[in-house]
Amino acid sequence: MRGADLVVGGTTSSEIMTREQWLKPGSTFIFAGAARACDPAGWVRMDKVVIDSWEMNMRMPVFSAMVESGLFRREQLYAEIHEVAAGQKPGRTRADERILIHTTGLVSQDVALAHYLFTRAQAEGRGIRLPAARPA
């Protein structure tokens, strides 16, 4: 993930898998599931933190423990993802912003948002086509 513009992670592990300091300026880290996938102490050093739902995340033991211990406060949250997707809050506003997006794994929302972003990117002529995967 070091040097990557976009990092996508998904784990059910309760172990810390990534550290905030590994994320370069201008990168976006998206992960679903375990809130410890990124070191909870690093959340406050990100330029923007976006989650799917404060209420849903507070039902997750690792997230609620992070909040209750004072590592992260609601005031430090930049937005819930629907606010960014609906244009109520801008996404990236500076090229060097490091953005953390954490979802609790609400698959229907993830698929709907991915489809929305894909069709919008297509309409705007953005993105690159990746080569097809080769069978092992």
Side-chain angles (χ1 to χ4, degrees):
M1 70 179 283
R2 288 186 176 119
D5 293 324
L6 177 65
V7 177
V8 179
T11 181
T12 57
S13 174
S14 60
E15 298 297 317
I16 294 172
M17 306 300 283
T18 56
R19 305 267 178 207
E20 155 273 328
Q21 60 266 33
W22 298 347
L23 298 167
K24 73 174 190 164
S27 63
T28 300
F29 180 37
I30 304 170
F31 67 100
R36 288 180 54 90
C38 182
D39 180 6
W43 283 47
V44 297
R45 292 187 297 272
M46 299 297 290
D47 294 299
K48 290 182 178 167
V49 174
V50 178
I51 62 175
D52 49 4
S53 163
W54 183 267
E55 287 74 23
M56 182 62 76
N57 276 273
M58 284 302 290
R59 294 173 192 229
M60 305 299 164
V62 173
F63 184 87
S64 62
M66 182 174 67
V67 171
E68 290 164 8
S69 71
L71 278 175
F72 189 75
R73 297 183 324 276
R74 189 169 191 150
E75 299 79 41
Q76 294 165 308
L77 178 68
Y78 173 68
E80 290 186 352
I81 202 161
H82 71 273
E83 296 171 301
V84 177
Q88 296 169 338
K89 290 193 174 184
R92 183 174 308 282
T93 55
R94 294 187 341 257
D96 66 338
E97 282 180 316
R98 293 183 313 153
I99 300 173
L100 174 83
I101 301 174
H102 174 257
T103 64
T104 55
L106 301 173
V107 176
S108 60
Q109 288 181 336
D110 297 340
V111 170
L113 184 57
H115 181 263
Y116 168 78
L117 294 172
F118 173 75
T119 56
R120 185 168 171 185
Q122 260 189 330
E124 294 177 10
R126 294 177 175 243
I128 59 171
R129 182 165 300 279
L130 299 174
R134 296 183 186 174

